[in-house]
Amino acid sequence: MADVSSANLVNNGNELIEKGHALNGYRKSCWYEEEIEENLRWSFALNSILHTGASQYQDIALLDTKPFGKALVIDGKLQSAETDEFIYHECLVHPALLHHPNPKSIFIMGGGEGSTARELLRHKTVEKVVMCDIDEEVVDFCKSYLIVNKEAFCDPRLELIINDARAELENRTELYDVIVGDLADPIEGGPCYKLYTKSFYEYTVKPRLKQDGIFITQAGPAGIFSHTEVFSCIYNTLKQVFKYVVPYSAHIPSFADTWGWVMASDTPFNLNADDLDQRIKQRITGENKYFDGKTFSSASTLSKAVRKSLDNETQVYTEETARFIYGYGAEACKLNQV
């Protein structure tokens, strides 16, 4: 019989909620619920809560969800889910590496779960990937529980650094072909929003790129209603720092929204769909599940409404004028027994 139960009242924005009093003999179930915006929530059923914990910086949970498999939740925001994380990570990694003529050295800001490193290390040209995440507990947690990335963490080309990405980039002297921003969303009170600012891009990121270097960052929700939270502002901010800036987006089912990325460089992006497909065949080990040339052509063709917003965006992201995505925080619950 179907899982049907009456929900307890939820006072917090995002939380794991225990469904109370079963109706008419139907079994109880446990649900994850996230408040996407005021008056709009997204929830799905859980098989179990595999692990919960807290680090110095963030709350962490690993959930076994019914629709999306294992899901990683940090600070009450879903970070990735087993069934569709390939969409996010292929879109984050492959456009920048394929547009670069010969990417050998890569720096990842964040990326503690290891999926970004996994996709980068599929590129045959890559000789070194530096992954810098501030939260050692999240990295250790993902090493233990996310088996899909086990090979990436063991790859000798990967150098894992536990540090603040800003401090690490400022203290290093080497230059990189590609720098990847796989940071947590800019959440009020969170550890990462300062790494979306114009000053950070201009004085920390860009000086660490080689002459043909490319910077790529995740840029938050990019849906028809949600893109003005941070996506349009991040795009406009990067336009102040780099000559060529390409925004693109894709729907991610577990996020219940379209997601955005922004790619930037002082070298133009001239490859068409056929060029990208040719480089995929030449450079990438294994087959992509989502990304190819036509997919990127589609992803970088934004809707009229979003294009208009990006064209008209005037705000530049600074520490004083920071924008944040909606929501913060999570609470654990116990899985009800059938």
Side-chain angles (χ1 to χ4, degrees), residues 175-220:
L175 302 180
Y176 299 94
D177 295 309
V178 177
I179 296 177
V180 181
D182 188 18
L183 299 163
D185 300 319
I187 297 175
E188 192 166 8
C192 292
Y193 78 92
K194 294 180 181 180
L195 305 188
Y196 290 91
T197 60
K198 179 178 182 288
S199 61
F200 177 66
Y201 294 149
E202 186 170 12
Y203 300 117
T204 302
V205 172
K206 191 172 182 179
R208 297 269 64 81
L209 286 171
K210 294 180 181 178
Q211 184 175 358
D212 294 331
I214 297 174
F215 174 63
I216 176 68
T217 182
Q218 79 93 4

